[in-house]
Amino acid sequence: MKRLKIKEVLAGGQVGQQVLVKGWVRTKRGSKNVNFIALNDGSTIHNLQIVADVEKFGEELLKEINTSTSLAITGELVESQGSGQAVELNASDIIIYGKADPEKYPIQPKKHSLEFLRENAHLRFRTATFSAVFRIRHAMAFAIHKYFNDKGFYYLHTPIITASDAEGAGQMFRVSTLPAVNPPSTEEGDVDFAQDFFGRPTNLTVSGQLEGELGATALGEIYTFGPTFRAENSNTTRHLAEFWMIEPEMAFYELTDNMDLAEEFLKYLIEYALENCLDDLKFLSNRLQQEEKDKPADQRSMELIEKLQFVRDNDFVRCTYTEAIDILKNSKPYKKGKFQFPVEWGIDLQSEHERYLVEKHFQKPVILINYPKDIKAFYMKQNDDGKTVAAMDVLFPQIGEIIGGSQREENYDKLVARMEEMDIPAEEMWWYLDTRRFGTVPHAGFGLGFERFILFVTGMGNIRDVIAFPRTPKNAEF
RNA sequence: UCCCUAGUAGCUCAGUUGGUUAGAGCGGCGGACUGUUAAUCCGUAGGUCGUAGGUUCAAGUCCUACCUGGGGAGCCA
């Protein structure tokens, strides 16, 4: 008999049909005559209720079935006598693949803290919460490829190992095959990277953008989607040492086109989640509502699905940096001295400022544009005012900056001048500058932090809970 | 990296101004139960109180250092 996924059984199974299912036990309940096994195979948040007659299978066999025991079950699909489900499987044959000793198996049929499950990240997929999160994560990855493919973008694989460290996006992880103890040294006493694998210092990438621009200025529209690495000692709910980033880069796009794309893209993904992941979203939403009950009324946030619909259905606010500074200066917290950091044209906005703009003032996603050039990267297009660059940051409630992007400086002379001002060695970037020397065009792009976006869609609070195997300072377990 | 906070049973926690034998719920185990919904009822086992020092007649409780977790900040996606 062909095995069916539980999702298929629940969606299309017919009463009276003989079916074979395989999965892991979530819970088992029982009385003298009959046992109920909630079986899950990962295909859906929902379990299939297995009814096992005690007399038929014997207490010996049923005793071996505990939480997380793996089973194959054949039986007849019947209308459920209980009220919790429409159909259930009347077992005629049970095969145990692997037992799970209930005294040693750490995931109990009860509510666990996310911290505890994080320490058991190898088994947390077996919980309803994490299976929901990772199904949604998959769906979003798939939707990203679908969105760009349908729009004629090409998926470009930029390198993981890179020799360029010019962008200054953060501390990098060195990639080396030199011995850690007594590496070969030069006459000056420095490590002699000429003897290293690549013959020069190399690192894990912090961004595929610069290589992405090479692709975009020939293929037209490209995107990257891959792992990115930052060796910053960041210990927050929003940072990882290894995370995934989506970086589209488009020839002939100016800043407004870039904003339009970012907004359409995010809304497409949210719509995709609402269309394809509703069961998982409902589960996560209920979970959140349970937690919200304990909070005072004014601290409760919008229900998850409502929040997603709200973002999908409303225009993002577009606001210049200069306007944002004015808004902040006229704000209540500013006038009452509630901000910890000063507000002045030229400063980088602190998260307290961003949160005020997004959560209090506008109360919807905000795209901030035209930042002072001194707080942004060298490659951003210099505006005519001589003070600002064509940068854009998309800010989301709770999460903060979810997208950072810009129109790029396409003028060779301006770009080189800016690199000199910022002490970026132009000779090492010769390959990047060639895009401006030969057939340069206006172009733009942005980077979306994948995990930050998944935080938003799932409503989870800690970025370590939306990536399968989080890499953070002092933690590379599993 | 900085600030705050926590570490007691498998999990979530309580443990009074330092004072006898460290408790509960859940989970586990044993039993009961005519179909349960993270079942219910009865019973039962389970602890080097994060680690190392120190103060004291006496430390889970006070002090110091370190380790680990959580929250916030910075950096950023």
Side-chain angles (χ1 to χ4, degrees):
Chain A
M1 195 185 303
K2 185 172 175 276
R3 174 218 170 186
L4 290 180
K5 296 271 187 84
I6 286 172
K7 186 181 182 179
E8 299 168 320
V9 173
L10 293 176
Q14 285 159 7
V15 169
Q17 188 185 357
Q18 288 289 318
V19 300
L20 167 63
V21 294
K22 302 180 178 188
W24 295 267
V25 175
R26 278 285 165 76
T27 61
K28 188 182 77 167
R29 297 172 291 273
S31 63
K32 194 176 186 179
N33 300 325
V34 67
N35 273 210
F36 301 94
I37 300 163
L39 196 74
N40 189 281
D41 66 0
S43 62
T44 162
I45 189 86
H46 301 297
N47 303 322
L48 179 62
Q49 173 153 289
I50 311 295
V51 183
D53 191 273
V54 173
E55 205 173 318
K56 179 179 172 65
F57 294 101
E59 285 186 25
E60 286 298 299
L61 177 82
L62 294 176
K63 233 178 195 175
E64 303 200 325
I65 298 174
N66 300 108
T67 299
S68 227
T69 300
S70 47
L71 301 175
I73 295 176
T74 313
E76 186 188 353
L77 200 62
V78 296
E79 232 173 89
S80 180
Q81 295 175 34
S83 59
Q85 56 283 314
V87 291
E88 61 193 16
L89 192 63
N90 221 334
S92 55
D93 189 49
I94 297 177
I95 296 168
I96 297 179
Y97 283 116
K99 293 187 259 183
D101 184 346
E103 299 217 49
K104 291 178 182 146
Y105 180 65
I107 316 290
Q108 302 161 354
K110 57 170 284 193
K111 190 177 166 74
H112 285 292
S113 68
L114 294 173
E115 291 81 14
F116 173 74
L117 293 171
R118 212 171 288 149
E119 286 171 13
N120 291 279
H122 59 310
L123 294 171
R124 64 179 175 171
F125 304 103
R126 297 193 185 187
T127 64
T129 300
F130 283 95
S131 66
V133 166
F134 289 108
R135 273 189 298 270
I136 292 170
R137 184 180 164 115
H138 157 79
M140 290 297 90
F142 181 80
I144 285 162
H145 286 301
K146 179 163 166 50
Y147 175 80
F148 284 125
N149 181 63
D150 290 354
K151 266 187 112 68
F153 283 54
Y154 299 109
Y155 180 25
L156 184 71
H157 294 100
T158 50
I160 306 281
I161 299 171
T162 165
S164 87
D165 60 350
E167 205 195 337
Q171 286 289 110
M172 303 178 104
F173 288 101
R174 172 134 292 157
V175 175
S176 175
T177 54
L178 292 176
V181 180
N182 294 325
S185 58
T186 61
E187 285 177 12
E188 291 80 40
D190 300 324
V191 174
D192 185 9
F193 287 105
Q195 295 186 46
D196 205 345
F197 187 90
F198 294 105
R200 59 195 294 186
T202 49
N203 303 290
L204 294 177
T205 183
V206 293
S207 163
Q209 181 203 313
L210 301 186
E211 290 90 348
E213 288 185 48
L214 306 181
T217 51
L219 294 163
E221 291 154 335
I222 64 93
Y223 69 104
T224 74
F225 185 1
T228 318
F229 307 87
R230 305 273 166 93
E232 297 288 350
N233 190 12
S234 298
N235 253 302
T236 80
T237 53
R238 301 180 304 283
H239 289 83
L240 291 164
E242 177 182 300
F243 64 100
W244 288 65
M245 191 152 61
I246 298 100
E247 295 180 288
E249 193 71 34
M250 299 74 65
F252 313 113
Y253 271 51
E254 300 190 1
L255 188 63
T256 304
D257 308 312
N258 204 22
M259 286 191 278
D260 291 345
L261 182 78
E263 183 167 345
E264 181 188 84
F265 175 51
L266 290 170
K267 287 178 172 175
Y268 175 90
L269 297 180
I270 289 167
E271 169 66 13
Y272 191 93
L274 288 167
E275 284 278 312
N276 295 278
C277 308
L278 201 56
D279 282 353
D280 289 325
L281 288 172
K282 278 181 182 164
F283 175 84
L284 292 172
S285 173
N286 284 338
R287 196 183 151 278
L288 286 167
Q289 296 292 105
Q290 295 293 321
E291 285 183 1
E292 296 271 303
K293 273 184 192 165
D294 304 331
K295 291 185 188 171
D298 59 324
Q299 281 179 27
R300 287 181 204 159
S301 50
M302 202 188 282
E303 189 271 328
L304 179 63
I305 292 166
E306 235 176 274
K307 184 182 78 177
L308 295 175
Q309 289 166 341
F310 178 83
V311 170
R312 177 195 62 187
D313 296 338
N314 284 279
D315 289 341
F316 294 6
V317 175
R318 299 181 183 194
C319 171
T320 67
Y321 170 90
T322 304
E323 287 163 358
I325 293 289
D326 285 344
I327 290 166
L328 289 168
K329 287 210 155 192
N330 287 310
S331 70
K332 267 188 197 163
Y334 178 80
K335 289 177 174 166
K336 287 185 177 172
K338 289 273 172 64
F339 286 137
Q340 198 187 333
F341 292 89
V343 178
E344 209 58 57
W345 199 96
I347 58 128
D348 210 349
L349 295 179
Q350 303 294 324
S351 40
E352 60 177 354
H353 306 141
E354 294 181 350
R355 292 190 71 142
Y356 174 80
L357 291 169
V358 175
E359 292 165 23
K360 293 273 165 14
H361 186 80
F362 290 119
Q363 298 190 328
K364 50 167 86 168
V366 177
I367 310 181
L368 280 182
I369 58 167
N370 296 338
Y371 282 75
K373 65 177 182 181
D374 290 334
I375 59 172
K376 288 291 181 184
F378 74 92
Y379 49 72
M380 296 190 179
K381 182 176 176 64
Q382 296 163 45
N383 289 328
D384 294 337
D385 61 15
K387 297 190 300 186
T388 62
V389 289
M392 64 167 211
D393 283 0
V394 181
L395 309 178
F396 264 33
Q398 266 100 49
I399 293 168
E401 185 180 343
I402 199 165
I403 278 181
S406 68
Q407 186 176 341
R408 319 306 188 188
E409 180 56 73
E410 81 269 22
N411 181 289
Y412 179 86
D413 295 329
K414 283 187 182 173
L415 183 58
V416 171
R418 190 68 187 137
M419 287 171 82
E420 266 171 36
E421 280 173 23
M422 295 176 80
D423 282 327
I424 290 160
E427 59 278 9
E428 281 179 27
M429 302 288 289
W430 62 272
W431 49 272
Y432 179 70
L433 290 168
D434 269 7
T435 54
R436 276 66 165 176
R437 290 177 67 207
F438 307 116
T440 191
V441 291
H443 63 291
F446 61 82
L448 169 69
F450 188 48
E451 284 78 15
R452 287 194 182 171
F453 180 69
I454 302 299
L455 276 182
F456 180 75
V457 175
T458 59
M460 299 294 284
N462 191 316
I463 202 162
R464 290 159 202 168
D465 295 332
V466 297
I467 188 167
F469 304 102
R471 297 285 105 109
T472 52
K474 301 276 187 291
N475 185 6
E477 192 68 67
F478 310 112

